[in-house]
Amino acid sequence: MTIRSCESHEDRAVCVELQRRIWNFDDIDLVSAAIFVVAQHSGGHAYLAFHGENAVGFALAFSGDRDRRRYLHSHMVGVVPEYQDQGVGRLLKLHQRQEALRAGIPLIEWTYDPLELRNAHFNIARLGAIVRHYIPDFYGESTSPLHGNFPTDRFVAEWQLESGRVEAALAGKSEPKAGAGVEEISIPSGIRELKKDDAGRAREIQAELRSRCTDLFARGYAVTGFRREPERGVYVLERYED
Ligand SMILES: CC(C)(COP(=O)(O)OP(=O)(O)OC[C@H]1O[C@@H](n2cnc3c(N)ncnc32)[C@H](O)[C@@H]1OP(=O)(O)O)[C@@H](O)C(=O)NCCC(=O)NCCS
């Protein structure tokens, strides 16, 4: 497996094709090759992952600025279904981290659907990101079957690249906190099926999470851990300060 920067218009066209295979997006929702050019031109990064000659995943990040601190906003990381759960996503994120640090950028952020437990495990448990912002309907409605025409509520994942938490997670040594002062929020697994089979219940789960997180984040809590259990995933929150 090799990871490298997008270097040509052909590379960026490959990233567009990968989006169709990964998300089944309608054309209107695809990020075009021109936007990849703009992202790279303005300080962002775009990478492709190859297995031999085959492109199997990509990552796209924009350059952002908050309170005069530069960071990367990682807009997309995707791996084609046949190659998921084989460590390609992790390799892409590690490459992104290495290149950000090389450019002197200590923070990468991205948003994700907190009901998608695979992404929760990947982002919080495996990469060591934390979450303290919940944005209701971030993108408006999407045509992706993955999003199921639901409000696109998102967690903002903050990946503080040089933190002890991230180092520990990458080394496989992070354990979610337990005991006094810790809050937990459970999400049932299989949310995609639920969105199709019982959309009302799926909407209720989303609304409960929205209200609980909005309250806890306002009181200074952050998601710092995630546990997988047989029929559910559990977000672990504790009071958090930088
Ligand atoms: C999210 C994504 C980029 C991760 O890439 P990947 O190559 O599959 O990631 P990895 O193999 O490095 O790690 C995936 C982890 O999720 C775990 N996982 C898989 N399915 C899971 C599920 N339903 N619930 C919880 N964890 C799950 C895997 O076991 C693995 O964890 P482990 O290393 O502890 O075993 C990829 O799955 C993907 O493209 N998904 C669809 C698009 C997407 O949602 N992109 C992110 C938002 S832009």
Side-chain angles (χ1 to χ4, degrees):
M1 202 68 68
T2 49
I3 313 280
R4 65 160 174 76
S5 270
C6 290
E7 285 154 5
S8 62
H9 295 316
E10 287 73 25
D11 280 351
R12 296 175 195 110
V14 169
C15 291
V16 177
E17 222 25 67
L18 288 173
Q19 291 172 55
R20 293 186 204 277
R21 287 168 62 193
I22 297 165
W23 285 279
N24 285 316
F25 280 150
D26 287 349
D27 283 0
I28 186 108
D29 285 324
L30 291 169
V31 173
S32 70
I35 299 296
F36 280 72
V37 172
V38 172
Q40 289 183 284
H41 182 74
S42 54
H45 298 173
Y47 305 113
L48 273 166
F50 290 90
H51 183 221
E53 304 266 285
N54 283 337
V56 297
F58 75 99
L60 169 67
F62 293 89
S63 175
D65 176 281
R66 188 169 302 120
D67 302 327
R68 301 200 182 159
R69 278 182 67 208
R70 188 169 166 217
Y71 71 101
L72 287 181
H73 179 88
S74 174
H75 178 48
M76 292 178 135
V77 176
V79 174
V80 293
E82 317 80 275
Y83 278 84
Q84 288 177 10
D85 297 331
Q86 296 168 48
V88 182
R90 179 183 167 84
L91 281 180
L92 279 161
K93 292 306 286 188
L94 290 179
H95 192 83
Q96 204 178 43
R97 174 174 184 257
Q98 180 189 310
E99 292 302 304
L101 288 174
R102 204 198 298 272
I105 302 170
L107 174 69
I108 303 180
E109 288 189 3
W110 59 92
T111 62
Y112 78 96
D113 180 350
L115 302 177
E116 291 280 342
L117 299 186
R118 176 213 294 268
N119 295 6
H121 170 75
F122 182 68
N123 294 332
I124 310 294
R126 301 287 274 133
L127 298 179
I130 63 131
V131 177
R132 50 187 159 168
H133 297 286
Y134 187 104
I135 308 183
D137 206 23
F138 186 52
Y139 297 111
E141 227 172 65
S142 145
T143 57
S144 165
L146 272 188
H147 301 154
N149 294 336
F150 272 62
T152 47
D153 287 18
R154 292 291 179 267
F155 266 4
V156 179
E158 295 175 40
W159 204 25
Q160 291 155 358
L161 302 180
E162 293 172 304
S163 68
R165 175 186 310 281
V166 169
E167 303 273 355
L170 293 178
K173 289 185 187 145
S174 75
E175 278 294 319
K177 271 262 173 62
V182 164
E183 297 279 342
E184 296 194 344
I185 304 179
S186 292
I187 309 287
S189 36
I191 195 72
R192 279 189 212 170
E193 291 70 29
L194 203 59
K195 281 179 177 175
K196 275 187 258 141
D197 302 340
D198 188 351
R201 180 65 197 130
R203 279 177 195 276
E204 271 171 28
I205 292 168
Q206 189 183 53
E208 279 163 25
L209 179 68
R210 185 190 283 195
S211 130
R212 190 93 198 279
C213 286
T214 307
D215 171 52
L216 284 167
F217 292 165
R219 292 198 282 129
Y221 282 81
V223 173
T224 58
F226 180 79
R227 241 182 15 247
R228 286 191 289 190
E229 294 185 0
E231 297 297 323
R232 60 184 197 155
V234 181
Y235 283 110
V236 176
L237 296 92
E238 60 185 301
R239 285 194 185 276
Y240 183 90
E241 271 180 69
D242 267 341

